[in-house]
Amino acid sequence: MKRFKSILFAVLGLICVFMVLAGVKGGQIAAMIESGETFVPPPEYVSTFSVEQQSWPNTYNAIGTVLADEGIVVAAEVPGRVKKISFSNGQQVTAGTVLIEQDVTNEQAQLRSAEASLKLAKTSYDRLVQLRRTNIATQSELDNAKQQLDSASAQVDNLKATLQKKVIRAPFDGRIGIRQVDLGTDLQAGTAIVSLQATNKVRVNFPVPQNWLTQITKGLPVEVSVGDGAVIVKGEISAIGAEINTNTRNVIVQSILDNSTDVLIPGMAVSTTVTLTDPHQLLVVPSTAVIYAPFGDTVFVVEKDDKGGLKARQQFVRLGKARGDFVEVIDGLKAGDQVVSAGAFKLFNGQAVVLSKTQPPEFKAAPTPADT
């Protein structure tokens, strides 16, 4: 009996201990729940930007191709062996500069023979003219002598023209490319010798869709940028194609630019920007203010809460084109709204914020590498 009572008291003691522990733990959990319900996260420091209206140029952009103002592949006009090469690869030449001389030994011999035949034909013709005056020679003999004289003269002219063609000259000022022939090469008519490109001025051709044609006119300013845009060459539209490509529905537009610095090389792909009339008035925010997401782009608008503090409200926006550090806002904001421009990635809807005293970097519509 005593043993039973001892066991009973021990069990009751354990139950009391468990009840005390459960009560303590339950109180702790309740306190934690109450604390979580009343917890307010500390405010985040952010920088803001006032949504502003900017005037952006109305522009059209396309990828263009650089062409030389004049450009040809110099080729042989008549067959012959290369006797002398008078230029260096990459050399600047002027119109009339001798590039290639072909062997003319045979033609010179033929010319001397033709000149002798011409001299004889001239002598015979002059003698028959005298004889015809005294009616000793017939008109038929005189006509035959005139035909032989003209034939001999034409043969001399033909050989002289051939000799001139065997001295190949630059037809205009320009820069020589890399030669494709060597000394002793037997050239056939039409054999390519070297490329010659006049690059002091260049043409840039770029496509324009048919729906833009009403805004494209001759004389509009054009900017051509090379590579990362560090080099910009300015010109204007000089010609608009006469027909639209039925496959692409584009028309080719051409601009002529000064290339005295030789930054544009024929065949180069360049970015072209045509500035149209009537600039656009747009609402813009810095691109750093936008949080991009598959379900929609948003920004955080800074507003006053019920207690007079500041809070961040997440706002969906519809964006347009970008320019420099700014992006156009088509819908969702109005001028003067304060948006978070730095620190937006760490915010949630309704969070308290404090304006940072640190000045954010200056936002520019046309930043340069020196600004970074």
Side-chain angles (χ1 to χ4, degrees):
M1 189 70 178
K2 291 181 179 180
R3 184 177 179 184
F4 175 76
K5 289 182 179 180
S6 299
I7 294 173
L8 181 61
F9 286 139
V11 171
L12 291 174
L14 288 173
I15 291 174
C16 291
V17 171
F18 280 123
M19 289 179 66
V20 171
L21 291 174
V24 172
K25 214 32 120 167
Q28 291 177 345
I29 292 173
M32 291 175 63
I33 292 174
E34 183 180 357
S35 175
E37 290 176 349
T38 59
F39 174 76
V40 177
E44 290 285 355
Y45 284 87
V46 297
S47 297
T48 61
F49 179 87
S50 180
V51 178
E52 64 181 29
Q53 190 175 63
Q54 292 184 357
S55 178
W56 285 10
N58 186 11
T59 60
Y60 169 78
N61 300 296
I63 300 298
T65 301
V66 179
L67 303 172
D69 188 38
E70 292 182 286
I72 63 169
V73 175
V74 180
E77 291 189 65
V78 293
R81 178 171 297 178
V82 176
K83 179 182 178 181
K84 184 179 180 181
I85 299 175
S86 303
F87 67 90
S88 301
N89 293 337
Q91 177 184 346
Q92 288 283 348
V93 297
T94 57
T97 300
V98 175
L99 304 178
I100 292 286
E101 295 182 34
Q102 296 173 272
D103 182 69
V104 293
T105 304
N106 291 339
E107 286 76 7
Q108 286 176 340
Q110 293 172 10
L111 178 60
R112 290 194 296 270
S113 174
E115 288 175 338
S117 298
L118 175 61
K119 185 177 180 180
L120 177 60
K122 182 69 169 59
T123 302
S124 299
Y125 176 75
D126 291 341
R127 183 166 50 251
L128 284 173
V129 168
Q130 296 296 329
L131 293 176
R132 178 58 184 161
R133 289 174 182 172
T134 58
N135 291 324
I136 296 176
T138 64
Q139 183 63 42
S140 176
E141 291 174 330
L142 181 61
D143 292 342
N144 185 55
K146 183 65 169 63
Q147 184 275 328
Q148 291 179 358
L149 175 62
D150 292 342
S151 178
S153 178
Q155 182 64 18
V156 170
D157 292 341
N158 180 59
L159 288 169
K160 286 181 177 179
T162 300
L163 288 171
Q164 289 179 350
K165 291 179 180 180
K166 289 207 168 187
V167 179
I168 301 173
R169 302 175 183 272
F172 50 80
D173 297 351
R175 184 159 63 91
I176 291 292
I178 298 176
R179 61 183 171 91
Q180 303 178 40
V181 298
D182 299 305
L183 285 175
T185 301
D186 285 321
L187 302 180
Q188 300 301 316
T191 302
I193 296 172
V194 71
S195 174
L196 174 63
Q197 305 290 324
T199 56
N200 285 337
K201 286 186 178 181
V202 294
R203 294 172 288 159
V204 175
N205 290 355
F206 54 93
V208 173
Q210 61 181 16
N211 57 314
W212 279 83
L213 283 180
T214 55
Q215 303 181 63
I216 300 294
T217 59
K218 289 179 64 175
L220 286 177
V222 177
E223 288 188 352
V224 173
S225 59
V226 181
D228 58 0
V231 178
I232 295 179
V233 182
K234 296 183 178 182
E236 62 181 29
I237 292 178
S238 58
I240 300 174
E243 60 181 8
I244 294 176
N245 187 296
T246 55
N247 295 322
T248 63
R249 303 303 174 184
N250 293 337
V251 66
I252 298 300
V253 175
Q254 185 176 98
S255 174
I256 294 182
L257 300 94
D258 179 73
N259 190 39
S260 54
T261 56
D262 283 335
V263 296
L264 300 177
I265 301 174
M268 178 183 287
V270 293
S271 299
T272 60
T273 301
V274 181
T275 301
L276 308 174
T277 56
D278 301 329
H280 290 166
Q281 302 297 322
L282 311 171
L283 289 179
V284 299
V285 296
S287 56
T288 56
V290 181
I291 299 175
Y292 299 93
F295 55 82
D297 303 322
T298 60
V299 298
F300 280 97
V301 180
V302 176
E303 299 175 332
K304 286 188 176 182
D305 58 18
D306 298 337
K307 299 178 181 179
L310 298 177
K311 67 176 182 179
R313 176 175 60 84
Q314 195 167 18
Q315 172 69 43
F316 283 94
V317 292
R318 187 157 60 95
L319 304 178
K321 52 190 176 182
R323 183 168 184 252
D325 297 328
F326 295 101
V327 61
E328 175 191 5
V329 178
I330 299 175
D331 189 26
L333 296 174
K334 63 181 183 297
D337 285 346
Q338 297 292 319
V339 297
V340 176
S341 60
F345 65 92
K346 57 187 177 182
L347 300 179
F348 59 85
N349 193 30
Q351 184 175 3
V353 294
V354 176
L355 299 183
S356 174
K357 295 181 180 180
T358 303
Q359 292 296 325
E362 183 183 359
F363 300 109
K364 296 184 177 181
T368 61
D371 297 329
T372 59

